[in-house]
Amino acid sequence: MDAPEVAATYAKVDRRIIPFLFLCYILAYLDRVNIGFAKLQMAQDLALGDAAFALGAGIFFLGYFCFEVPSNLLLRRFGARRWIARIMVSWGLVSAATLFVTNEAEFYAMRFILGLTEAGFFPGVIYYLTLWYPSERRATRLSWFVSAVALAGVIGNPLSGLIMDLCSGLGGLAGWQWLFLLEGLPSVAVGIWVLFYLDSSIAEARWLSPAERALLAGRIAAEERDKPATRLSDAFKCGKVYALCAVYFTLTLGLYGIAFWLPTTIKALGVSGYLQIGLVSALPYGVAVLGMLLICRHSDRTGERRWHYAFTMGLGALGLVLSGLCADQPVLAILFLSLGTLGTIGAMPLFWPIPAAFLGGTAAAAGIGIINSIGNLGGYVGPNLPIWARRFSDSPQVALDLIALALLAGVALLLAIPRR
C-alpha cells in the first residue's frame, strides 16, 4: 500500500480505540486522585491528619505493586477486552464503596484494595498499544492517551468541587461521600461497555478490512523480527528494566506528589470555595495538555526520546522550585506549578516507548508490568514527602526542592543507560 492508504488505516485505528481508552483513563485517574479533593472535607469528618491522609493516598500504590505484573500477564492470557473490563468494574465498585469508610483503618484498607483492583490497567493499555502501533507511531498515541491525566484535572477538579459544593448534606451524605459515589459508578458502566466495544487484537477487528488487518499485522510483525528473541524470564533478568524502574519511580514521585496536594496547595494560596479551588487547580493541567502534545509530536517526528524526556523533566523541576520561591505571589506560583505539572505528565508518553523498543512478546508484558509496578511506588513516596520534609523544615520549599532533585536524578539515570 502507498503512504496515503497507510495513513488512512492508522487514522481509522486512532478513531476507534484512542478516544475510548482516553475515556477509560480519565475515569481511572479521577478515581485514583479524587482523594486530594475529598481531603478538604474528609480530613475533618474522619479526624485524619495530614500524615494519615498522605499514608492513605500513597498506600494505594502498595496494593498496585502487589498485583501489577500478574495482572499484565493475565491480560495477555485472557485478552485485553475481558481483562480491562474486569479491572474497571472492580475498581469502580471499590472507589464508590469508599463513601462508607468511618475511620482511619477503613480508609487505609479501601485505598489498598483500590490499588489491587486497578493494578494492570495502565501497563495493560501500554502493552495493548504495542499490539497495534509500531514504535515510531507510539509516542504521539501515548501522548493522546496520557493527556487523559491532564484532562482529568481540567474537567475532574472543577467537577469534584461542584459535587462537593452542591451535594454536601444531600440525603444525609457529606460532599466527599457523594464525590466517591458519583465518580466511581461511571467506571463500572464503561467497564461493561468494554466487553462490547474493545478488540483484543488486530485479528479480532471486524471493523477493518482484510487488507487493513494484514497491513497492520505485517508492520507489527516486521518490528518484532528486529528485536532479539525474548522469553518471560528475560524481563526479570534484564538490568535495563530495573534501571527504567528507577527512572519511572522519580517520574511518579513528582506526578503524584503534585496531584494529591494540588487542591490543598491552591487553598493555601488564598483560594476559597470548592468549585473555585477546582477551577484554579485545572489550570496546571490545561497547560500540561497543550505542552505535552507539542513535545510528543516533535519526538515522534524526530524519533528521539531521551533528550525530549530530559528537556520535559527539566522544565518540571524548574517549575517546582520557582513555584515555592513565589509562594507569596499566587499568580506566579500557579504559573510555575503549571510548568511543574507539564514536566511530569508530559514525560510519561516519552518514557514508555523506550522499554517497548527492546522487549517483545510475553517479556514485553512482564517488563512493562515490572517497570510500572516498581516505578509506581514513587506514588507512595510523593504524597508522603511533604510530611517527611516537615521533620527538617517547616518550609514547603524543601519538599518541592526534593521532588525537583528526584526528577533531575531520573533524567541523569536515563541518559546513562546504554542505547543498545
Side-chain angles (χ1 to χ4, degrees):
M1 288 188 179
D2 57 22
E5 291 172 306
V6 172
T9 300
Y10 278 109
K12 192 173 182 180
V13 176
D14 292 340
R15 290 192 297 270
R16 174 75 182 189
I17 68 174
I18 298 298
F20 187 73
L21 294 174
F22 184 90
L23 171 63
C24 294
Y25 197 28
I26 284 180
L27 296 174
Y29 196 74
L30 273 180
D31 286 343
R32 183 183 298 187
V33 303
N34 58 10
I35 190 69
F37 246 94
K39 173 186 179 288
L40 300 177
Q41 274 188 355
M42 191 180 190
Q44 181 176 353
D45 289 354
L46 302 186
L48 296 175
D50 282 352
F53 162 75
L55 179 58
I59 208 170
F60 167 94
F61 295 97
L62 299 184
Y64 201 86
F65 171 78
C66 292
F67 197 50
E68 185 80 333
V69 174
S71 180
N72 228 32
L73 294 176
L74 289 169
L75 180 143
R76 179 172 168 82
R77 178 178 178 182
F78 292 111
R81 181 175 60 87
R82 286 185 288 177
W83 198 247
I84 289 177
R86 193 283 306 163
I87 291 173
M88 293 194 67
V89 170
S90 58
W91 100 50
L93 291 173
V94 172
S95 182
T98 306
L99 73 92
F100 296 112
V101 303
T102 60
N103 55 52
E104 190 174 310
E106 292 174 0
F107 173 55
Y108 295 155
M110 292 303 290
R111 291 293 297 177
F112 182 79
I113 295 170
L114 183 63
L116 285 177
T117 55
E118 195 187 314
F121 174 75
F122 181 79
V125 172
I126 300 299
Y127 173 68
Y128 181 66
L129 291 177
T130 70
L131 305 179
W132 291 86
Y133 297 101
S135 180
E136 72 272 9
R137 295 179 183 268
R138 278 184 210 138
T140 295
R141 274 72 184 181
L142 281 170
S143 70
W144 294 343
F145 172 63
V146 174
S147 65
V149 172
L151 193 61
V154 173
I155 298 173
N157 283 3
L159 177 63
S160 297
L162 186 63
I163 290 172
M164 290 178 65
D165 265 340
L166 295 182
C167 297
S168 291
L170 190 64
L173 298 178
W176 63 268
Q177 292 175 302
W178 280 108
L179 178 65
F180 287 124
L181 179 64
L182 295 179
E183 292 186 353
L185 292 182
S187 296
V188 178
V190 174
I192 295 171
W193 187 10
V194 168
L195 288 171
F196 300 95
Y197 186 86
L198 205 63
D199 298 295
S200 293
S201 66
I202 293 171
E204 292 182 9
R206 298 307 167 199
W207 44 273
L208 293 171
S209 69
E212 289 169 334
R213 290 198 296 271
L215 166 68
L216 296 173
R219 290 185 166 235
I220 295 298
E223 184 172 77
E224 290 295 314
R225 284 195 297 269
D226 292 336
K227 296 178 184 177
T230 56
R231 298 165 297 176
L232 174 61
S233 60
D234 293 332
F236 291 92
K237 295 186 293 185
C238 180
K240 188 182 290 188
V241 166
Y242 295 105
L244 290 174
C245 287
V247 174
Y248 196 58
F249 179 94
T250 65
L251 191 158
T252 60
L253 185 155
L255 176 65
Y256 293 109
I258 295 171
F260 285 119
W261 287 102
L262 186 59
T264 301
T265 302
I266 297 297
K267 184 179 180 180
L269 292 174
V271 180
S272 60
Y274 298 124
L275 178 58
Q276 287 73 20
I277 292 172
L279 290 170
V280 173
S281 61
L283 294 175
Y285 290 101
V287 171
V289 170
L290 297 176
M292 175 175 59
L293 292 175
L294 290 173
I295 293 170
C296 291
R297 187 174 182 182
H298 188 267
S299 176
D300 264 358
R301 285 180 173 177
T302 61
E304 202 286 320
R305 308 296 186 201
R306 295 175 178 224
W307 288 105
H308 282 80
Y309 181 93
F311 171 75
T312 306
M313 291 292 264
L315 283 180
L318 178 64
L320 290 175
V321 171
L322 292 178
S323 69
L325 294 175
C326 298
D328 58 341
Q329 303 176 63
V331 174
L332 283 177
I334 292 168
L335 175 64
F336 290 128
L337 271 176
S338 301
L339 198 62
T341 305
L342 165 61
T344 53
I345 294 177
M348 288 180 70
L350 299 169
F351 174 85
W352 283 110
I354 296 172
F358 67 90
L359 292 171
T362 304
I368 291 170
I370 293 168
I371 292 168
N372 198 61
S373 63
I374 297 177
N376 258 302
L377 290 176
Y380 174 81
V381 175
N384 282 282
L385 192 58
I387 303 299
W388 299 336
R390 289 178 192 172
R391 299 175 184 176
F392 306 99
S393 173
D394 291 332
S395 172
Q397 183 69 43
V398 175
L400 293 170
D401 289 347
L402 289 173
I403 293 173
L405 284 173
L407 300 185
L408 295 177
V411 167
L413 179 57
L414 179 65
L415 296 177
I417 297 173
R419 289 181 178 273
R420 297 187 61 84

